[in-house]
Amino acid sequence: MAGDHQGNIYVFDLYGNRFNLVQRTAQACTALAFNLRRKSEFLVALADYSIKCFDTVTKELVSWMRGHESSVFSISVHASGRYAITTSSDTAQLWDLDTFQRKRKLNIRQSVDIQKVFFLPLSNTILSCFKDNSIFAWECDTLFCKYQLPAPPESSSIIYKVFAVTRDGRILAAGGKSNHLHLWCLEAKQLFRIIQMPTKVRAIRHLEFLPDSFDAGSNQVLGVLSQDGIIRFINIETCKLLFEIGGLDEGINSSVISPHGRYIACIMENGSLNIYSVQTLTREINKPPPPLVKVIEDLPRSKLSFSDLKMKVMSGRVQRPAKSRENKIQTRILKRDLTDNFENKENELSDGLSRKRLQILLKGYGEYPAKYRMFIWRSLLQLPENHTAFSSLIDKGIHVAFINLQEKYPIKSRKLLRVLQRTLSALAHWSAIFSDTPYLPLLAFPFVKLFQNNQLICFEVAATLIINWCQHWFEYFPNPPINILTMIENVLAFHDEQLLQHFMDHDITSQLYAWPLLETVFSEVLTREEWLKLFDNVFSNHPSFLLMTVVAYNTCSRAPLLNCNLKADFEYFFHHRNNLDINVVIREVYHLMDTTPADIHPEGMLGVFVALTKGQYPVFNQYPKFIVDYQTQERERIRNDELDYLRERQTVEDMQAEVDQQRVEDEAWYQKQELLCKAEETRREMLLQEEEKIIQQRQRLAAVKRELKRKEMHLQDAARRRFLKHQQNQREMELRRLDDEIERKVYMRDQEIATTTKDLEMRQLELESQKRLYEKQYSRNQEAVAKEMREDADAYRRKVNLEEHMFHKLIETDQSQSLKTQKLIEENLATAEQACIDADWRIQTLHKQRCDDLQRNECYQEVANLLQENRRKEVELLNAMMKAETKKWGEAEEKKLHLTSGKKASALSDASRKGFLEQELSDALEHAKNPLKEAAPRIQHEHVPSGCLTGASQLSDISKMDSSSHISLSRRKLEWDTTGQDLIEKVRNLRHRLTVQARNRCQTPHLLAT
């Protein structure tokens, strides 16, 4: 796992040779830690001083931990994965990874900063290292201080900066800006060794022990990263430099070693990440020990010198002499008994090994050491390692016969599949028969899986196996090797005739009980360890050993085989693993090799071992060439036909794919159209709902407007009523003033005519009785007559209210324009009313001023005119009363006689009212079109008569007052006549008023009926 300064965190799979980006933190990573209790989680310290826990599988944030006030540069995880320690320069904090809560916090003095705090492996001890070289050990659970290491020697001026602990937690290595390393024994709590690095090392930047699977945690190899970017691996016991990685051109910035010690990951100074294999780096170190005694062969004397032959012998071993620049010293194995003769050349192997000794070792232990098995196999098979020839075969690419290998053999590992393809293709390019061999993948697969990291060795092992242990396999190609199977059958018949007879009784041939084992080289019926043990013996013996192994496998399994009666059971037995001890089989093979007669022994029919030649591989043509050529031609023809068929099928498939694609597109289009229709329906429903909501809102708004308008009209009506009341009060005040004036004048006049009162009492009584008669007859209108002076204004107000009521009904049909017109009319009406009032007052004032000047001379004429008018009105009143009386009686008789005609009259009334309303509505519409043009004339026509009426009534009153004054002035001349005329005038005025009121009552029902 690695992180960069941009916050990208990668996980590297070294086995799968791939990496994956698991998180983007958008902040620089300062420290990483994994191997928690939940293996998929990891901790990362960021530049904002926080620590986050992520999951590599779900890539989600698991927890976010805060608490540091400076950058976290170290995260140490407990061996159980439950606790973690995060370290910054000023503090160290212990976290519980189950709850992600801070458990403890290490506080320090400001003068001494923390260098590193970490867990010791395989213990509950926390080690804290400070910049003053003090080192403390703490108990994890209680945080009790267990011990403190003593201060380093005064002679050492080193300041500790980097630390490393062995896997068993016993040795602590510390270094700093010096070429000295201090090794502390944590059990004895003392410094037990100081190692001085080479002089070129001036400072140590990183320390880490290299784990080993066989040292039980007491690591002996320490990696030291110095200031020059080179990691030097030293043995802390022998203080020897083992190997080093990095260089001046490729400097290493930091490094980490895998827990099992197999890989070393290094971050280079150029920003790249390099992975080193420890096995490859230590190959020279882990070489098998040389023989105890070696011999140096004599060279030609012309090439020998004394310095070339000079050697140093120590403890029974021969040290190789230094190689000169001109000559090489060749070494050979020297036997302990120098008097014996040399072994045969067939027993001599490369790398100083002996086949006989290996066979003795193999018989003693049953197998070769796993650590040196590959080395021994390469020596036994005498592999030439022809890199150039193998590269030429690999460069030819994948053979056409194995392009679709994964279809027949689905292998999960892609790397293993690629190696198998390349190995089989190289074999097919080496010899044409292998491209047509159907069992070649089964034969080569176990070796490919074993040598997948070295394809050259894999190819040469397979080729050597084919040349030696597969002799005569291809003589009956493409059929199985009948000759080889016959050999096996002969050997089986000699050693276990009963088993062979059982095979024959059930029609089981050697192609069933022998050939499956040969074509898979026992990889199907043996485990990995058993197969390796078997081939340790196969490669160490004659090629006939493999055929004897087939016979031994059958004879050792005779009990279960004799119990099998079905062919399917035999097939299953030879294609699956069975409960069989491989050591017993191998001993049986050696027994068969020793006891089989020579006439049927495969050793006499198979050649000896022949190694591959160096430089170029040998030609392999041990097969019927004409059959292979014919099959090759046929296969080529079939392949061409197949290619044509595939092209045609591809064309048909393309057309079918286009048709399917078109159908899918059509279905998608129809589905899209259905979705669009559904969406349209949904939108339409939504629009209808919204429209209903808008209509409801408009209705509510209209109701609110009507309510506001009603309130506004009520307010306007109240304001108008207040204004009219104010005017009425003013009129009443004026009338009271006039009444007071009249009363004063009447009082003066009464005083003047007091002497004539007695003469007129009788006349007055008659008039009074007549007056009471009239008043009794019209008692219903007495209150209105008595208040006529006050009701003049009320009559005007009622008229205005009636007009407003009529206009209100008409205005309801009009909306905005009628409302504006009504407002304008009301404003103009109020203005006109105010103007009329002002004009009335002016008229009254002006008329009062001219009354004294003008009417004195016209008094008699006016009185005469008034008398004539009163007579005329009295006659009209009497005629009206007679007509009203006649009409009332006629109506009463008509109602009694014509009750049934009421409905018709009502219908006629409804029709006439409907026509009236339609007429009024049409007038209102015409008026709405030109409201402003008609507003002013109508207001003038409506209000001027009322003003004139008021002025006329006021003039009439003034005339009465003036006439009374005039009569009072001329009372001495015409006492009786004037008094009589005055009384008659009052009576006529009273009649006139009653007549007008009656006429109004008659006209009102008529208007309502129409």
Side-chain angles (χ1 to χ4, degrees), residues 4 47 78 97 135 188 246 274 280 329 335 356 372 420 427 431 449 469 528 552 679 748 835 852 957 997 1002:
D4 57 16
H78 191 265
L97 297 183
I135 300 175
N274 290 358
T280 305
I329 304 300
K335 299 295 181 182
K356 284 292 185 182
Y372 303 107
L420 180 61
L427 291 172
S431 181
K449 191 173 183 180
W469 282 271
R528 175 185 173 88
M748 292 175 64
D852 293 337
D957 294 336
Q997 290 177 0
C1002 294

Side-chain angles (χ1 to χ4, degrees), residues 239-254:
C239 296
K240 290 184 178 180
L241 179 62
L242 302 179
F243 62 92
E244 59 184 26
I245 57 176
L248 298 177
D249 296 334
E250 295 182 353
I252 299 174
N253 195 9
S254 62

Side-chain angles (χ1 to χ4, degrees), residues 33 43 74-78 83-87 116-120:
L43 297 175
S74 173
I75 301 177
S76 177
V77 181
H78 191 265
Y83 301 106
I85 294 178
T86 57
T87 308
K116 190 174 183 182
V117 180
F118 56 93
F119 286 104
L120 289 182

Side-chain angles (χ1 to χ4, degrees), residues 208-482:
E208 190 164 3
F209 282 96
L210 181 63
D212 194 342
S213 302
F214 303 100
D215 58 6
S218 59
N219 311 131
Q220 302 297 319
V221 180
L222 177 64
V224 181
L225 175 61
S226 57
Q227 85 288 343
D228 55 1
I230 300 175
I231 300 181
R232 296 173 175 84
F233 289 87
I234 62 173
N235 190 309
I236 61 175
E237 293 294 333
T238 62
C239 296
K240 290 184 178 180
L241 179 62
L242 302 179
F243 62 92
E244 59 184 26
I245 57 176
L248 298 177
D249 296 334
E250 295 182 353
I252 299 174
N253 195 9
S254 62
S255 65
V256 64
I257 302 176
S258 63
H260 300 290
R262 297 177 183 174
Y263 302 99
I264 303 174
C266 299
I267 300 178
M268 314 305 289
E269 292 180 350
N270 58 5
S272 61
L273 180 65
N274 290 358
I275 309 295
Y276 296 91
S277 174
V278 177
Q279 182 180 1
T280 305
L281 295 173
T282 59
R283 181 178 297 171
E284 296 295 330
I285 302 173
N286 295 329
K287 274 188 175 181
L292 296 178
V293 179
K294 294 186 178 181
V295 64
I296 300 175
E297 293 183 354
D298 293 337
L299 295 177
R301 291 185 177 182
S302 59
K303 296 183 179 180
L304 293 175
S305 63
F306 179 77
S307 60
D308 293 336
L309 299 177
K310 187 176 180 179
M311 300 176 63
K312 184 179 181 180
V313 180
M314 296 177 61
S315 65
R317 293 176 180 266
V318 178
Q319 183 176 358
R320 295 186 181 185
K323 296 180 181 180
S324 63
R325 294 182 181 179
E326 297 178 357
N327 303 323
K328 284 187 176 181
I329 304 300
Q330 297 180 357
T331 60
R332 290 290 184 270
I333 296 175
L334 182 63
K335 299 295 181 182
R336 292 181 182 272
D337 188 3
L338 301 177
T339 62
D340 293 340
N341 294 326
F342 292 103
E343 296 289 340
N344 294 330
K345 289 185 178 180
E346 63 180 7
N347 293 327
E348 295 178 359
L349 302 176
S350 59
D351 299 321
L353 299 179
S354 172
R355 186 183 297 274
K356 284 292 185 182
R357 288 184 175 276
L358 290 176
Q359 289 176 352
I360 294 172
L361 178 66
L362 183 61
K363 289 182 179 180
Y365 292 96
E367 60 179 334
Y368 293 127
K371 189 173 184 179
Y372 303 107
R373 175 177 282 119
M374 300 299 105
F375 173 75
I376 294 173
W377 281 18
R378 291 168 64 181
S379 299
L380 290 172
L381 300 178
Q382 301 178 21
L383 302 181
E385 298 187 12
N386 298 327
H387 293 277
T388 305
F390 179 72
S391 298
S392 64
L393 295 175
I394 291 296
D395 292 340
K396 293 181 180 180
I398 303 299
H399 198 277
V400 294
F402 305 107
I403 293 178
N404 299 323
L405 182 66
Q406 68 276 6
E407 297 179 359
K408 188 175 181 180
Y409 301 98
I411 301 175
K412 184 181 296 185
S413 175
R414 298 185 62 84
K415 177 184 177 182
L416 188 61
L417 178 63
R418 285 198 304 272
V419 176
L420 180 61
Q421 276 185 322
R422 292 174 182 175
T423 304
L424 297 178
S425 299
L427 291 172
H429 293 311
W430 176 43
S431 181
I433 190 173
F434 296 127
S435 62
D436 301 325
T437 306
Y439 55 86
L440 185 63
L442 302 175
L443 183 70
F445 179 74
F447 300 98
V448 170
K449 191 173 183 180
L450 189 63
F451 298 100
Q452 58 181 323
N453 293 325
N454 194 335
Q455 299 181 32
L456 171 63
I457 302 299
C458 178
F459 169 79
E460 292 186 348
V461 168
T464 304
L465 178 72
I466 292 171
I467 291 177
N468 294 277
W469 282 271
C470 298
Q471 297 180 41
H472 309 293
W473 280 27
F474 307 98
E475 293 179 359
Y476 293 91
F477 183 84
N479 299 317
I482 300 175

Side-chain angles (χ1 to χ4, degrees), residues 135-182:
I135 300 175
F136 294 87
W138 311 82
E139 184 65 29
C140 176
D141 297 330
T142 61
L143 290 184
F144 175 74
C145 183
K146 299 174 66 175
Y147 58 85
Q148 178 183 2
L149 296 181
E154 296 181 357
S155 59
S156 177
S157 60
I158 183 174
I159 298 177
Y160 296 155
K161 289 186 177 295
V162 290
F163 305 89
V165 183
T166 58
R167 300 292 172 175
D168 58 1
R170 296 180 179 180
I171 299 176
L172 170 67
K177 197 173 183 182
S178 173
N179 64 344
H180 287 184
L181 284 176
H182 287 189

Side-chain angles (χ1 to χ4, degrees), residues 637-697:
R637 182 183 60 79
I638 293 172
R639 185 178 293 113
N640 293 330
D641 295 341
E642 184 179 2
L643 290 176
D644 295 338
Y645 167 74
L646 290 176
R647 281 195 295 269
E648 294 178 359
R649 189 177 69 178
Q650 184 65 30
T651 303
V652 174
E653 289 178 355
D654 293 341
M655 295 176 63
Q656 184 65 30
E658 292 180 358
V659 173
D660 294 341
Q661 182 67 22
Q662 185 65 33
R663 186 175 66 256
V664 170
E665 291 179 356
D666 293 341
E667 292 178 356
W669 185 82
Y670 284 116
Q671 292 178 358
K672 186 176 181 180
Q673 293 299 320
E674 291 179 359
L675 292 175
L676 289 175
C677 293
K678 292 180 180 178
E680 184 178 359
E681 292 294 334
T682 305
R683 298 295 188 279
R684 186 177 293 107
E685 292 177 358
M686 292 173 62
L687 289 175
L688 292 176
Q689 293 177 359
E690 292 296 330
E691 288 179 357
E692 291 179 358
K693 291 180 180 179
I694 292 173
I695 291 172
Q696 293 177 359
Q697 291 178 357

Side-chain angles (χ1 to χ4, degrees), residues 664-794:
V664 170
E665 291 179 356
D666 293 341
E667 292 178 356
W669 185 82
Y670 284 116
Q671 292 178 358
K672 186 176 181 180
Q673 293 299 320
E674 291 179 359
L675 292 175
L676 289 175
C677 293
K678 292 180 180 178
E680 184 178 359
E681 292 294 334
T682 305
R683 298 295 188 279
R684 186 177 293 107
E685 292 177 358
M686 292 173 62
L687 289 175
L688 292 176
Q689 293 177 359
E690 292 296 330
E691 288 179 357
E692 291 179 358
K693 291 180 180 179
I694 292 173
I695 291 172
Q696 293 177 359
Q697 291 178 357
R698 286 179 179 176
Q699 291 177 355
R700 289 194 294 270
L701 182 61
V704 172
K705 286 183 178 181
R706 287 195 299 270
E707 184 66 21
L708 292 176
K709 184 61 181 176
R710 186 178 61 80
K711 292 181 180 179
E712 182 181 0
M713 293 176 64
H714 284 313
L715 292 175
Q716 290 179 356
D717 185 63
R720 186 180 297 105
R721 289 179 182 278
R722 285 196 299 271
F723 179 73
L724 293 177
K725 187 175 181 180
H726 176 68
Q727 287 185 343
Q728 184 178 359
N729 292 334
Q730 289 183 349
R731 293 292 186 274
E732 289 177 354
M733 289 177 64
E734 183 65 23
L735 289 175
R736 283 195 297 271
R737 187 182 62 79
L738 292 175
D739 291 339
D740 293 340
E741 182 68 22
I742 292 171
E743 289 177 357
R744 186 180 61 80
K745 291 183 178 182
V746 169
Y747 177 75
M748 292 175 64
R749 185 190 59 189
D750 290 340
Q751 291 294 330
E752 291 179 355
I753 61 172
T755 55
T756 59
T757 303
K758 294 180 180 181
D759 296 336
L760 298 175
E761 285 179 355
M762 294 302 295
R763 183 62 177 173
Q764 186 68 28
L765 291 172
E766 293 177 358
L767 293 174
E768 287 295 333
S769 61
Q770 189 177 5
K771 182 177 181 181
R772 290 190 189 97
L773 181 61
Y774 289 143
E775 288 176 356
K776 183 178 179 180
Q777 190 175 4
Y778 299 99
S779 59
R780 295 179 182 176
N781 298 324
Q782 183 178 3
E783 184 179 357
V785 173
K787 298 179 181 178
E788 184 178 0
M789 296 294 292
R790 295 188 302 248
E791 292 292 331
D792 292 336
D794 294 334

Side-chain angles (χ1 to χ4, degrees), residues 839-857:
D840 290 341
W841 284 107
R842 290 189 181 94
I843 291 171
Q844 291 177 4
T845 305
L846 182 60
H847 187 73
K848 186 176 180 181
Q849 291 176 358
R850 289 190 298 179
C851 280
D852 293 337
D853 297 334
L854 296 176
Q855 289 186 359
R856 290 178 183 174
N857 297 326

